């Protein structure tokens, strides 16, 4: 990939009792933060069809989509680290 480092999302899940509470979003933002700290140009992974909307709401794009199956979700980093900004506000 032209010498670029790309972080890979393997799986994100939350127990049913915690769904809709922002747990998955927090985990994803943390993963993005770690990828940025490691100079990754992008983060990507595979999402099943029923998971794609979650990633789209988080600002991800989709490519190589197979209808009713899923597709590759990805986010290129522009330099802004929302997770770090949020953590700094909390402190």
């Amino acid at each position: 990939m032209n010498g670029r480092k790309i972080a890979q999302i393997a799986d994100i899940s939350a127990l049913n009792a915690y769904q809709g509470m922002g747990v998955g979003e927090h985990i994803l933002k943390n993963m993005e933060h770690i990828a940025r700290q490691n100079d990754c140009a992008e983060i990507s992974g595979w999402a099943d069809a029923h998971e794609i909307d979650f990633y789209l709401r988080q600002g991800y794009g989709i490519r190589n989509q197979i209808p009713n199956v899923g597709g590759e979700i990805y986010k290129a980093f522009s330099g802004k680290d929302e997770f770090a900004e949020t953590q700094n506000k909390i402190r």
Side-chain angles (χ1 to χ4, degrees):
M1 287 259 162
N2 299 329
R4 298 181 326 147
K5 291 198 278 185
I6 298 177
Q8 182 70 37
I9 300 170
D11 190 23
I12 296 177
S13 61
L15 294 173
N16 289 338
Y18 297 103
Q19 290 185 1
M21 299 174 68
V23 173
E25 180 181 351
H26 184 75
I27 292 169
L28 188 60
K29 296 295 182 200
N30 194 10
M31 292 171 72
E32 292 172 9
H33 176 69
I34 292 167
R36 288 174 196 268
Q37 286 183 321
N38 285 281
D39 298 321
C40 292
E42 179 180 291
I43 188 167
S44 67
W46 178 266
D48 291 336
H50 69 277
E51 300 167 331
I52 289 174
D53 284 343
F54 167 77
Y55 288 99
L56 293 176
R57 288 192 307 271
Q58 308 308 316
Y60 281 69
I62 183 153
R63 58 189 174 211
N64 304 318
Q65 188 170 10
I66 302 170
N68 301 316
V69 175
E72 182 185 4
I73 49 91
Y74 69 96
K75 182 186 261 188
F77 297 127
S78 63
K80 183 178 178 186
D81 189 343
E82 296 169 8
F83 183 83
E85 290 176 7
T86 302
Q87 295 300 89
N88 288 335
K89 289 178 186 176
I90 293 171
R91 292 181 186 154

